[in-house]
């Protein structure tokens, strides 16, 4: 387990999957803004669920986010697109509606950075988010990320093309 100030990142448990599926995936409007793939309905227990429990992977490290104070499942976090040659990865997270706005996102980003840089020995972390996703941008910049660019009209979300922002953090800036 990885410990933050307010959250704990741990391996995903089977009991987490239906909660994450219902509150994160089945919220079509939110999921459509968070994933570049079109939303599709999934039956309960589907092996194709983005939250399905799988074994370790060299390409991704998936975690469940737990509110340390209450022990309640707060969401999911991951490093994905892990590139061992270039020592880089992408960062992502999604919090359940009842856990948003409580400062957890910045804590999750900081813990993922520590995991990526210290445990995995990565050189760079990156995230992409919609330009109007102020909470994610605030969480990332609060953890040391810098906006590196804007991709105009790069994402199709809820019936329109919207801009994406790319934020990056090299290990040497994180250590400073």
């Amino acid at each position: 387990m990885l410990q933050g100030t307010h959250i704990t990142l741990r391996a995903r448990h089977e009991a987490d999957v239906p909660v994450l599926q219902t509150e994160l995936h089945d919220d079509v409007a939110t999921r459509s803004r968070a994933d570049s793939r079109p939303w599709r309905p999934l039956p309960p227990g589907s092996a194709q669920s983005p939250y399905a429990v799988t074994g370790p992977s060299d390409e991704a490290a998936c975690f469940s986010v737990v509110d340390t104070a209450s022990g309640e499942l707060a969401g999911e976090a991951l490093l994905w697109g892990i590139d061992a040659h270039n020592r880089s990865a992408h960062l992502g997270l999604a919090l359940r509606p009842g856990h948003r706005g409580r400062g957890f996102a910045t804590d999750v980003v900081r813990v993922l950075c520590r995991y990526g840089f210290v445990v995995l020995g990565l050189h760079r972390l990156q995230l992409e988010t919609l330009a109007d996703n102020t909470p994610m941008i605030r969480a990332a910049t609060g953890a040391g990320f810098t906006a590196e660019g804007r991709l105009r009209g790069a994402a199709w979300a809820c019936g329109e093309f919207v801009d994406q922002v790319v934020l990056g953090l090299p290990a040497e800036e994180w250590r400073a």
Side-chain angles (χ1 to χ4, degrees), residues 21-174:
Q21 183 74 28
T22 299
E23 292 194 35
L24 298 180
H25 182 272
D26 292 346
D27 176 354
V28 179
T30 301
R31 182 69 188 185
S32 295
R33 291 176 47 81
D35 195 334
S36 62
R37 298 164 294 194
W39 183 88
R40 302 242 195 290
L42 291 173
S46 171
Q48 294 181 343
S49 169
Y51 311 106
V53 176
T54 60
S57 163
D58 290 335
E59 291 82 34
C62 301
F63 301 95
S64 285
V65 178
V66 176
D67 174 350
T68 305
S70 69
E72 188 176 359
L73 178 66
E76 64 124 2
L78 67 155
L79 291 182
W80 60 276
I82 298 172
D83 179 339
H85 177 73
N86 292 304
R87 294 178 44 209
S88 64
H90 297 262
L91 180 148
L93 69 101
L95 296 174
R96 295 172 58 201
H99 292 84
R100 295 175 189 154
R102 296 169 55 186
F104 289 176
T106 302
D107 203 19
V108 170
V109 172
R110 287 182 176 137
V111 173
L112 285 173
C113 287
R114 189 171 64 241
Y115 175 71
F117 294 133
V118 175
V119 177
L120 299 182
L122 297 177
H123 169 71
R124 173 186 165 77
L125 292 174
Q126 176 175 314
L127 65 91
E128 303 83 17
T129 190
L130 300 182
D132 66 354
N133 188 349
T134 305
M136 186 66 231
I137 294 168
R138 189 179 320 118
T141 56
F145 281 76
T146 299
E148 297 179 332
R150 184 179 198 98
L151 306 173
R152 296 178 297 155
W156 177 254
C158 300
E160 64 180 330
F161 285 103
V162 295
D163 294 354
Q164 280 187 317
V165 176
V166 178
L167 298 108
L169 180 61
E172 59 272 9
E173 289 180 17
W174 174 78

